[in-house]
């Protein structure tokens, strides 16, 4: 099972789908946003560097991100395929990833773009809450926890991400258009690009993704 990428704007469902697919396929989900948030929480040097970019809804610089992925892909669990969620987000990151994979005789298998229109993205992001302890994702209306503000999985406290406030959301959507959208053409040229409609319920989207990667 070679590596695959989940591409999509903030709120498209990359995290939700990545988690389900990782379980189903038995491979890890590598989410750069989760790695960065853990670094911020730990107060590490990486976290200190990344925080201001994240809070502003800007991208963390490419060199930092490529370094994170280089380290993460060397972990033993990344040997048998993995799902990248939130990386790459720029053409420079995509090129660096291709080089890294080529150096070990691998290449990406699929790039699945989860497509959702902006108004729905804003609704999803404004209701998103995540667990402070395990990072699990919920939505106050679309996917509420059994008990208000408490994680079903670990009992941790649920909170809204700083960058999910409406003013930051709008700029993150603009950043996606400007910096990440060019990856569509980049991967289309490689023949591995698949677009999936992400506006339905999670189960339907999951089925569409599986169909897109099986029906290649
Ligand atoms: P979302 O799930 O809303 O798409 P993420 O959790 O993936 O957001 O990312 C949160 C923030 O972390 C981004 O807004 C950005 O600041 C930073 N980040 C995550 N991945 C990358 C990346 N590949 N390149 C640059 N910045 C990144
Ligand atoms: P991303 O990682 O792309 O930013 P998430 O997986 O975090 O997206 O999803 C954003 C928000 O929308 C979360 O609150 C999540 O619970 C909710 N969500 C995800 N997929 C769906 C869906 N298919 N229908 C409705 N809500 C969804
Ligand atoms: Zn939890």
């Amino acid at each position: 099972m070679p590596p695959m990428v989940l591409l999509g704007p903030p709120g498209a469902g990359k995290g939700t789908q990545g988690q389900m697919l990782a379980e189903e396929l038995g491979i890890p989900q590598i989410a750069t946003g989760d790695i960065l948030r853990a670094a911020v929480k730990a107060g590490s040097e990486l976290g200190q560097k990344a925080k201001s970019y994240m809070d502003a809804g800007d991208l963390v610089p490419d060199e930092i991100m490529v370094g994170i992925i280089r380290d993460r892909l060397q972990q033993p669990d990344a040997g048998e395929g993995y799902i990248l969620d939130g990386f790459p987000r720029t053409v420079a990151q995509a090129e660096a990833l291709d080089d890294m994979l080529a150096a070990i005789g691998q290449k990406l298998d699929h790039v699945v773009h989860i497509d959702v229109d902006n108004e729905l993205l804003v609704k999803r992001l404004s209701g998103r809450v995540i667990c402070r302890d395990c990072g699990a994702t919920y939505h106050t209306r679309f996917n509420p926890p059994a008990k208000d503000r408490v994680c079903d999985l670990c009992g941790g406290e649920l909170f809204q991400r700083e960058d999910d406030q409406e003013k930051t959301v709008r700029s993150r959507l603009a950043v996606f258009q400007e910096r990440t959208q060019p990856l569509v053409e980049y991967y289309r040229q490689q023949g591995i690009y698949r677009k999936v409609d992400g506006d339905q319920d999670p189960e339907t989207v999951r089925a569409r993704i599986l169909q897109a990667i099986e029906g290649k």
Side-chain angles (χ1 to χ4, degrees):
M1 180 84 209
M4 67 179 272
V5 167
L6 288 179
L7 186 68
K14 303 180 298 296
T16 301
Q17 295 298 328
Q19 200 176 331
M20 296 198 314
L21 289 167
E23 275 167 32
E24 171 143 357
L25 303 172
I27 55 179
Q29 170 192 24
I30 299 178
T32 43
D34 290 349
I35 294 173
L36 291 169
R37 278 184 292 279
V40 170
K41 190 176 165 193
S44 67
E45 197 183 325
L46 167 64
Q48 289 173 27
K49 277 189 202 150
K51 188 175 189 309
S52 58
Y53 296 102
M54 296 172 76
D55 285 349
D58 288 335
L59 296 183
V60 173
D62 289 334
E63 318 78 83
I64 296 180
M65 297 311 303
V66 170
I68 290 174
I69 285 294
R70 194 182 299 283
D71 290 347
R72 182 63 187 85
L73 296 190
Q74 279 164 11
Q75 302 299 311
D77 67 336
E80 296 297 324
Y82 43 83
I83 298 168
L84 286 172
D85 156 7
F87 185 95
R89 267 176 150 98
T90 66
V91 171
Q93 291 178 15
E95 289 171 345
L97 176 63
D98 281 349
D99 290 347
M100 258 182 250
L101 292 175
I104 52 171
Q106 287 187 1
K107 61 190 190 55
L108 286 175
D109 200 21
H110 311 282
V111 174
V112 177
H113 180 176
I114 308 177
D115 187 40
V116 174
D117 73 48
N118 276 6
E119 288 322 302
L120 184 53
L121 292 173
V122 172
K123 288 192 186 121
R124 286 196 184 165
L125 293 169
S126 62
R128 171 161 67 183
V129 285
I130 70 169
C131 174
R132 209 175 278 290
D133 295 332
C134 76
T137 299
Y138 300 84
H139 190 283
T140 51
R141 276 169 46 212
F142 303 147
N143 177 29
K147 197 169 158 218
D148 202 28
R149 293 196 209 183
V150 178
C151 178
D152 292 348
L153 300 178
C154 78
E157 181 205 359
L158 304 183
F159 76 107
Q160 185 185 39
R161 278 167 47 175
E162 185 71 29
D163 59 346
D164 278 345
Q165 296 177 25
E166 180 145 359
K167 61 177 191 330
T168 318
V169 162
R170 296 281 172 192
S171 60
R172 286 161 64 212
L173 295 176
V175 166
F176 177 84
Q177 273 311 318
E178 191 182 324
R179 308 287 308 281
T180 310
Q181 188 71 32
L183 292 181
V184 170
E185 199 44 44
Y186 181 86
Y187 287 125
R188 206 176 253 150
Q189 282 177 12
Q190 294 190 9
I192 55 174
Y193 175 78
R194 302 284 178 273
K195 181 149 133 182
V196 165
D197 230 330
D199 60 353
Q200 299 298 307
D201 59 284
E203 269 310 313
T204 306
V205 177
R206 173 182 154 279
R208 287 176 178 164
I209 292 175
L210 287 173
Q211 195 179 24
I213 66 181
E214 278 154 13
K216 65 167 184 169

